[in-house]
Amino acid sequence: MSISGYPTPYNSARICRKTCTYTIRTKQSGRYFLRLHFYPIENPQYNLETAVFSIVANEITLLHGFSFRKLGKTSTALIKEYALQVDETSSQQQLVLTLSPWESSIAFISAIEVVLMPKGLFPSIAETVPPGPEVEIPGNAAFETAHRVNMGGPLITPRNDSLWRTWEPDQAYLVNAAAARSVLSNPSSIKYPDGVSVETAPNWVYATAQEMADANVNDQNFNISWEFEIEKGFTHLVRMHFCDIVSESLNSLVFNVYINRQSALDCFDISSKTLELSAANFVDFVVNVSMDSNQILVQVGPPSLRNVPTNAILNGLEIMKISNSIDSLDGNLQSGYINSNMLKRNNWRVLAISLCSAVFTVLVLISAAFFMYLRRPKKQKHPPVSWFPIPTQVGNSESRLSIGILDSATQPNLGRVLTFSKILEATKNFSESLVVGVGGFGKVYRGVLDNGVAVAVKRGNPGSEQGLAEFRTEIAMLSKLKHRHLVSLIGYCEELNEMILVYEFMSAGPLRKHLYGSDLPPLTWKQRLEICIGAAKGLHYLHTGAAETIIHRDVKTTNILLDENFTAKVADFGLSKLGPTLDQTHVSTAVKGSFGYLDPEYYRRQQLTEKSDVYSFGVVLMEVLCARPAINPALPREQVNIAEWGMIWQNKGHLEKIIDPRLVGSINLDSLRKFGETAEKCLAEYGIDRPTMGDVLWNLEYSLQLQEASIQNTSLDNNANYIPGIAERIPEIESVDGEDSISDRASNTATSSGVFSQLMDPKGR
């Protein structure tokens, strides 16, 4: 039975009139996410809303006497998420799920998800509230997700989480919304230090936060508060995600954290743990909730210190219920606390506390903190600001990169050395009025050299380790690249601990500002196609024209720059990677890129190929066509992601309904059809199904030819059966499971025949 607006899992359900069991065999031991989906679809024989049943998984009671009627809401689907351990000791590594209807009732379920967690995702020890000795969480404990929240940011759906989790916005939980202010950073700037991975939380969680509404205003003394409803009588694991995306320097964000009005962290300094800004971090707490309370109150606020700015932040929060002493996660079955036998205290901490007085313990802690403090500034107050070595030999098949000292005489392609005084003169002492861009590396200024050449000056920020890494990569890449559709490096400056790169100036700026968000005249469809073709040529050169494959890894409309003639050039190689060698299929690397442009296969598997650039370019094509951002959380849910939204209409065959309104009436439908087919292929779920950039380039040029042919004023001979300038192309044949499949032929033939008939018959135009 179909339910309008609901995905496939909610169109059907499995009904059990007596106890039924699912046995899910797992390939390895470890902890698994188990997600149970329920939707009481209408059925003439069974009323699923009144069904009462229990569910047990690996002897852990998940639900006991559960019924939708008790929830009081039957119009939406229900998802229950658990984390269960599958032991190595079991005779067969498996997850056994048993549904048991009550008395004369029935049991039902709509869908089951089982996802293996990375090792270490769940803690073995955690802090306690109020602060005390850490407690050990037994390996066989089960968890149920109560809340998973993205502070200050949009809804994050399973599609954008490598473990298929959902992160809710936090507005519904804020006690006083006026006390908080949302802040946003570039998700690609988030760093994951040792012990924290992208599986801990997506970079979009760490790139957004709530901070104090009057941040950095002296004498502000209030907390940001969130209130969450939980099941009373259970112990809960509270994981708080932190990432300092608001500070300009280390050790300037210090605040207090409270849980249920009790101190959890006092004078907490994120950067003292991460040793850098924009670095992901989390802290786990075990919280006992009394039998007469069903709420957890989380608060962050300023400390009593007078020498630090007044501010406090929180990026994300997870609250997980922990199974009790009788292996139950349902309070209807004899709820109780996890007792001391289950949460074993660390023996050395118990012994230390029992042997030492409180005063002595405090002195030891203060001494240790002071010792660490003395050691840390040597590393932080004097960051490595000298210029990194420059590549002197790159791009042969024998070696990846050879690093040496820069010699402008032997490396003319790197440009000339520019003195810092010349840079100051060119940028009018780095005038803020000349800033044309800001990134993780620092600021970009417009400048004019003494020979009258306009340049873009990228000045590195010594305090940004991410910026230093990007500088190193960018100069390594640009030292071996020269192409009409890649931004060129003119020179550099290494003086007075300054790190400056100088590029050709692209006077028309980034492509994005010509599509939306500015008052610039709209680009014509022909201009947009020519810009896409230019960018495709640049990417095609990166993938095939250099000595080694180069994957850009951050293709987006802000990294496609235009000169005064609207010639497109690909820029910003800070995240670029050398591609796989001949004996490799991919490069395994941490996920980097921009939210909304990330290849979903790369995001899930952390396996990078040049097809990841192809996917990102497909998103660019949709931006060019629709003139809207890749991600817009303000739109209805189905429209938030432009790639998904565009493909919905492409599959309907009515892509013209969502194009930039300023293009209506000026696009030849055959040109649009070919463009849409190209974008659709780029946005294929799996890289193997995507075209190469060479194929993308050919199809875009074909789309341009179709557009130009449709507006020709000169008539063709009646016996013409081709468009001048377009060569015939032999379709690619791929072998799939022993069968041959031909791609492109059908679509090309249909497209061309339509435009040919219009050219032969002027009335058809």
Side-chain angles (χ1 to χ4, degrees):
M1 184 179 299
S2 176
I3 301 176
S4 177
Y6 281 89
T8 303
Y10 302 129
N11 291 342
S12 62
R14 171 68 66 187
I15 296 174
C16 301
R17 289 177 291 180
K18 59 182 181 179
T19 298
C20 58
T21 299
Y22 287 91
T23 300
I24 302 167
R25 306 196 185 280
T26 57
K27 293 183 178 180
Q28 64 185 81
S29 61
R31 197 175 291 278
Y32 286 79
F33 274 128
L34 171 65
R35 299 189 183 101
L36 307 181
H37 297 251
F38 303 93
Y39 187 84
I41 61 175
E42 296 181 5
N43 186 280
Q45 187 176 357
Y46 302 103
N47 183 358
L48 303 189
E49 293 181 7
T50 61
V52 182
F53 54 96
S54 298
I55 297 182
V56 175
N58 283 15
E59 301 182 352
I60 303 290
T61 300
L62 307 182
L63 296 171
H64 185 75
F66 168 77
S67 174
F68 253 84
R69 174 173 289 178
K70 295 180 181 179
L71 299 178
K73 51 180 182 180
T74 59
S75 60
T76 58
L78 174 68
I79 303 174
K80 304 285 283 185
E81 181 184 87
Y82 304 92
L84 303 175
Q85 181 72 24
V86 175
D87 294 326
E88 297 178 358
T89 56
S90 59
S91 56
Q92 291 182 326
Q93 294 174 356
Q94 58 190 23
L95 192 60
V96 180
L97 189 70
T98 303
L99 285 72
S100 303
W102 276 37
E103 298 178 354
S104 59
S105 186
I106 58 172
F108 78 94
I109 193 164
S110 302
I112 301 172
E113 282 183 80
V114 178
V115 181
L116 176 64
M117 298 184 197
K119 291 184 178 179
L121 183 66
F122 270 57
S124 58
I125 59 173
E127 306 282 347
T128 58
V129 178
E134 291 180 337
V135 294
E136 181 180 340
I137 300 175
N140 61 350
F143 299 82
E144 179 184 350
T145 303
H147 299 280
R148 182 177 289 120
V149 185
N150 180 24
M151 269 61 183
L155 171 72
I156 298 177
T157 65
R159 191 181 296 270
N160 294 312
D161 186 297
S162 57
L163 294 178
W164 292 78
R165 295 166 296 192
T166 297
W167 300 75
E168 302 176 80
D170 70 317
Q171 286 82 357
Y173 304 103
L174 276 168
V175 176
N176 180 10
R181 176 175 61 195
S182 299
V183 289
L184 170 66
S185 179
N186 184 354
S188 63
S189 69
I190 301 302
K191 299 176 280 290
Y192 287 90
D194 292 341
V196 186
S197 68
V198 69
E199 280 83 14
T200 305
N203 58 358
W204 196 252
V205 171
Y206 290 114
T208 61
Q210 294 285 14
E211 70 170 354
M212 293 177 62
D214 295 319
N216 302 321
V217 177
N218 293 332
D219 300 324
Q220 295 296 318
N221 190 20
F222 62 87
N223 297 326
I224 310 174
S225 303
W226 296 266
E227 198 168 62
F228 301 93
E229 185 174 333
I230 48 87
E231 187 167 3
K232 62 185 179 181
F234 277 89
T235 298
H236 286 74
L237 174 71
V238 177
R239 172 168 288 185
M240 306 181 77
H241 297 272
F242 299 103
C243 185
D244 189 350
I245 58 174
V246 300
S247 299
E248 296 182 356
S249 61
L250 295 173
N251 308 116
S252 59
L253 178 62
V254 181
F255 55 94
N256 292 342
V257 177
Y258 308 92
I259 298 178
N260 285 348
R261 306 188 187 281
Q262 297 181 346
S263 176
L265 295 172
D266 188 44
C267 296
F268 178 60
D269 177 3
I270 304 172
S271 59
S272 69
K273 296 187 66 177
T274 61
L275 304 181
E276 56 185 340
L277 300 178
S278 297
N281 181 251
F282 65 91
V283 183
D284 291 321
F285 302 94
V286 167
V287 181
N288 276 327
V289 181
S290 65
M291 293 296 293
D292 58 354
S293 174
N294 67 341
Q295 291 181 336
I296 286 182
L297 179 67
V298 174
Q299 297 173 295
V300 295
S304 57
L305 301 177
R306 295 183 178 273
N307 58 343
V308 294
T310 303
N311 199 5
I313 70 167
L314 183 59
N315 302 75
L317 182 79
E318 294 175 89
I319 300 178
M320 310 285 290
K321 186 200 310 180
I322 308 178
S323 56
N324 59 21
S325 58
I326 59 170
D327 293 333
S328 174
L329 282 166
D330 193 313
N332 293 322
L333 184 64
Q334 193 182 342
S335 61
Y337 294 115
I338 291 182
N339 56 37
S340 59
N341 291 327
M342 295 190 66
L343 296 180
K344 298 177 181 178
R345 301 181 183 278
N346 290 337
N347 293 335
W348 71 269
R349 290 184 178 272
V350 175
L351 181 61
I353 292 172
S354 63
L355 295 177
C356 302
S357 67
V359 174
F360 181 75
T361 303
V362 171
L363 290 176
V364 170
L365 293 175
I366 292 175
S367 299
F370 184 68
F371 175 73
M372 294 301 295
Y373 178 79
L374 289 177
R375 293 184 61 187
R376 186 180 68 252
K378 294 179 181 180
K379 181 177 180 180
Q380 294 302 317
K381 289 187 177 180
H382 305 284
V385 294
S386 58
W387 192 256
F388 44 80
I390 304 299
T392 60
Q393 179 184 354
V394 293
N396 60 62
S397 59
E398 301 297 327
S399 63
R400 304 295 275 179
L401 287 176
S402 299
I403 306 297
I405 303 300
L406 176 64
D407 182 348
S408 60
T410 61
Q411 298 296 319
N413 60 316
L414 283 179
R416 60 193 176 105
V417 177
L418 298 170
T419 64
F420 187 61
S421 60
K422 292 292 185 183
I423 299 293
L424 286 176
E425 181 181 348
T427 60
K428 298 181 180 179
N429 296 325
F430 294 109
S431 171
E432 289 297 311
S433 64
L434 296 178
V435 174
V436 294
V438 180
F441 50 84
K443 295 181 179 179
V444 181
Y445 300 81
R446 185 185 188 280
V448 179
L449 299 179
D450 51 9
N451 60 2
V453 175
V455 293
V457 178
K458 181 186 287 189
R459 186 186 191 189
N461 177 6
S464 171
E465 293 186 17
Q466 179 70 20
L468 293 176
E470 291 183 10
F471 262 108
R472 187 186 195 106
T473 302
E474 187 147 3
I475 199 168
M477 293 300 175
L478 288 177
S479 66
K480 58 181 176 180
L481 299 175
K482 193 69 177 178
H483 191 271
R484 182 171 183 262
H485 292 286
L486 301 180
V487 171
S488 299
L489 178 68
I490 291 177
Y492 72 97
C493 172
E494 178 198 9
E495 189 178 329
L496 301 175
N497 287 331
E498 290 284 346
M499 297 163 289
I500 300 172
L501 294 177
V502 181
Y503 307 87
E504 62 175 315
F505 183 71
M506 304 293 286
S507 59
L511 170 60
R512 178 174 296 179
K513 77 174 186 179
H514 293 271
L515 297 174
Y516 53 86
S518 72
D519 297 327
L520 294 174
L523 297 170
T524 66
W525 180 236
K526 180 182 177 182
Q527 285 177 314
R528 300 186 197 205
L529 286 172
E530 290 173 339
I531 289 168
C532 291
I533 289 169
K537 288 179 178 178
L539 292 172
H540 181 49
Y541 172 77
L542 291 180
H543 293 175
T544 62
E548 296 173 283
T549 297
I550 295 173
I551 304 172
H552 187 279
R553 213 163 48 143
D554 199 18
V555 178
K556 55 184 178 181
T557 50
T558 52
N559 286 340
I560 298 173
L561 305 182
L562 308 177
D563 65 12
E564 65 278 7
N565 298 317
F566 288 91
T567 299
K569 301 193 179 189
V570 179
D572 200 341
F573 296 84
L575 297 181
S576 298
K577 272 275 191 185
L578 292 176
T581 57
L582 293 177
D583 59 344
Q584 295 176 317
T585 59
H586 63 271
V587 177
S588 295
T589 181
V591 176
K592 297 283 186 179
S594 296
F595 195 72
Y597 298 87
L598 280 175
D599 167 15
E601 187 175 38
Y602 168 42
Y603 192 86
R604 288 193 304 267
R605 305 175 64 185
Q606 299 186 25
Q607 295 179 349
L608 181 69
T609 71
E610 61 270 25
K611 295 297 184 70
S612 298
D613 280 351
V614 174
Y615 181 90
S616 301
F617 191 71
V619 179
V620 168
L621 295 181
M622 294 309 303
E623 272 191 90
V624 167
L625 180 65
C626 302
R628 52 146 288 189
I631 298 291
N632 187 350
L635 293 174
R637 183 170 182 174
E638 68 275 8
Q639 301 180 32
V640 169
N641 187 311
I642 193 175
E644 297 175 7
W645 180 235
M647 289 307 97
I648 289 175
W649 287 98
Q650 169 67 12
N651 293 332
K652 291 179 179 179
H654 292 292
L655 192 59
E656 71 278 359
K657 292 186 179 295
I658 62 169
I659 66 174
D660 184 352
R662 298 170 296 181
L663 293 177
V664 173
S666 65
I667 302 182
N668 170 263
L669 289 181
D670 292 301
S671 174
L672 175 62
R673 189 177 298 114
K674 192 61 184 174
F675 186 89
E677 291 171 359
T678 306
E680 181 180 16
K681 292 175 183 177
C682 291
L683 295 172
E685 181 74 11
Y686 300 102
I688 195 173
D689 298 323
R690 299 175 199 144
T692 64
M693 282 307 304
D695 290 332
V696 174
L697 174 59
W698 189 93
N699 281 290
L700 290 174
E701 289 177 333
Y702 187 17
S703 180
L704 176 61
Q705 293 282 1
L706 292 170
Q707 177 68 16
E708 290 180 331
S710 70
I711 58 176
Q712 287 181 6
N713 293 322
T714 56
S715 61
L716 299 177
D717 294 337
N718 288 337
N719 61 355
N721 60 1
Y722 69 99
I723 299 177
I726 300 182
E728 291 189 14
R729 184 185 185 215
I730 300 175
E732 298 179 356
I733 302 178
E734 301 175 348
S735 177
V736 181
D737 295 333
E739 298 181 0
D740 292 333
S741 61
I742 301 179
S743 60
D744 282 349
R745 172 175 289 173
S747 61
N748 289 355
T749 304
T751 302
S752 58
S753 64
V755 71
F756 296 159
S757 64
Q758 291 182 7
L759 291 173
M760 289 185 288
D761 180 6
K763 295 180 181 179
R765 281 185 284 186

